[in-house]
Amino acid sequence: MKGLYTALMCSFDEKGNVNEKGLREIVRYNIDVQQVDGLYVNGSTGENFLISKEQKKQIFDVVKNEAGDDVKLIAQVGALNLDEAVELAQYATNLGYNAISAVTPFYYKFDFDEIKDYYNTILDSVDNDLIIYSIPALTGVNMNLEQFGELFENEKVIGVKFTAPDFFLLERIRHAYPDKLIYSGFDEMLLSASVLNVDGAIGSTFNVNGRRAKQIFELAQNGQIGEARELQKVTNDLIAAILDNGLYPTIKEILKVQGVDAGYCRKPMKALDAAGVKQAKQIAERHL
């Protein structure tokens, strides 16, 4: 399960329905062109928190059908509704996903015992492994080393998607739990995380920059830090330009430049105006 995983985008039509043809094209582009090791499905980048349970199932279906066994697949099933998270975990497991993942429960200020019960309830329902999705900036859930350790006591919890800039905590987790998988979640910090010996990364910009990200990771693993730093600089120039223009709609426009039917973002995300579309095309020309 080690390696680089794309936080997979989903193609939607103008009414917000899943564009199956476009989704299949995104899957194939990531596998065949970006050559990533796996796909992280129905995460934040897939606009997961804007879609219905049935749409989530549809996406799990289409991705598995298109990808087959070409790459590893991780299904993000986390939801505020625990019954839904359990149902999605069972659904993705039955489809043959290699692992499930779940964002920490958010919005309400859950205490750690509630968070732990959330994960254990999901895992009690399936015969599958789970990767914690920790993204404190969006969930407000900050867990310490001891709390990660408590979650890791469940042998089905095999690792964490660590989307946080706290590299002191990252190093402590790496040192304390060498057998658990740690995936870096911030694309712009891939090199820094790789130096701390993470097992891989999961990123949204890998949809268009996967090959370069994989080079950074492999160079760092081989101790070629200077070369990796140069590629991280090039990558961060790309990321800065994308963020300035609008993260998800810009990535979708760049995919369209590459001939991929990436569709639209779901509302309330706004579409790029004409100037934004032009800028996205220029970003693709300058940085890819």
Side-chain angles (χ1 to χ4, degrees), residues 47-272:
E47 301 167 60
N48 173 77
F49 305 108
L50 301 177
I51 61 178
S52 70
K53 179 177 67 176
E54 294 310 313
Q55 286 176 311
K56 295 172 188 180
K57 288 182 176 180
Q58 181 184 2
I59 293 166
F60 284 143
D61 276 329
V62 172
V63 174
K64 178 58 180 176
N65 180 264
E66 184 62 41
D69 296 322
D70 292 348
V71 294
K72 299 290 187 182
L73 298 176
I74 301 172
Q76 198 293 123
V77 301
L80 273 178
N81 183 325
L82 185 51
D83 291 336
E84 177 179 315
V86 166
E87 184 177 338
L88 291 173
Q90 293 171 338
Y91 192 82
T93 297
N94 290 337
L95 284 175
Y97 275 69
N98 301 95
I100 58 174
S101 180
V103 68
T104 50
F106 54 92
Y107 188 80
Y108 301 102
K109 294 187 181 298
F110 299 104
D111 65 30
F112 180 69
D113 286 338
E114 292 168 324
I115 293 170
K116 185 176 179 180
D117 181 68
Y118 162 89
Y119 282 116
N120 288 336
T121 299
I122 293 171
L123 281 171
D124 286 345
S125 74
V126 293
D127 182 18
N128 207 342
D129 296 324
L130 181 138
I131 296 156
I132 299 161
Y133 180 11
S134 178
I135 182 167
L138 296 184
T139 62
V141 178
N142 285 281
M143 293 188 292
N144 59 36
L145 179 63
E146 292 72 24
Q147 290 170 332
F148 275 109
E150 281 195 49
L151 295 179
F152 289 153
E153 287 176 4
N154 188 324
E155 62 181 15
K156 290 182 179 179
V157 179
I158 61 171
V160 57
K161 180 188 177 193
F162 191 90
T163 309
D166 186 349
F167 279 21
F168 176 64
L169 176 58
L170 174 60
E171 187 278 332
R172 294 288 82 190
I173 295 172
R174 174 76 295 164
H175 176 77
Y177 303 102
D179 296 329
K180 297 296 182 179
L181 294 168
I182 302 176
Y183 300 96
S184 171
F186 275 137
D187 306 7
E188 64 272 27
M189 301 180 190
L190 174 58
L191 172 57
S192 303
S194 298
V195 170
L196 292 174
N197 199 29
V198 295
D199 298 289
I202 300 169
S204 56
T205 60
F206 299 173
N207 282 278
V208 295
N209 194 53
R211 285 177 297 179
R212 189 182 287 153
K214 199 168 183 178
Q215 283 182 285
I216 294 169
F217 182 63
E218 291 175 349
L219 286 168
Q221 285 184 312
N222 293 330
Q224 297 172 267
I225 303 302
E227 294 92 330
R229 187 168 57 244
E230 287 299 316
L231 286 182
Q232 186 69 69
K233 188 268 180 189
V234 173
T235 288
N236 285 358
D237 289 343
L238 167 67
I239 292 172
I242 289 174
L243 291 174
D244 187 59
N245 199 51
L247 178 59
Y248 298 140
T250 300
I251 294 175
K252 288 190 175 184
E253 286 299 327
I254 292 173
L255 282 169
K256 291 175 186 177
V257 171
Q258 308 301 325
V260 178
D261 180 11
Y264 301 85
C265 291
R266 282 183 58 91
K267 291 183 177 181
M269 290 189 190
K270 63 183 179 182
L272 296 178

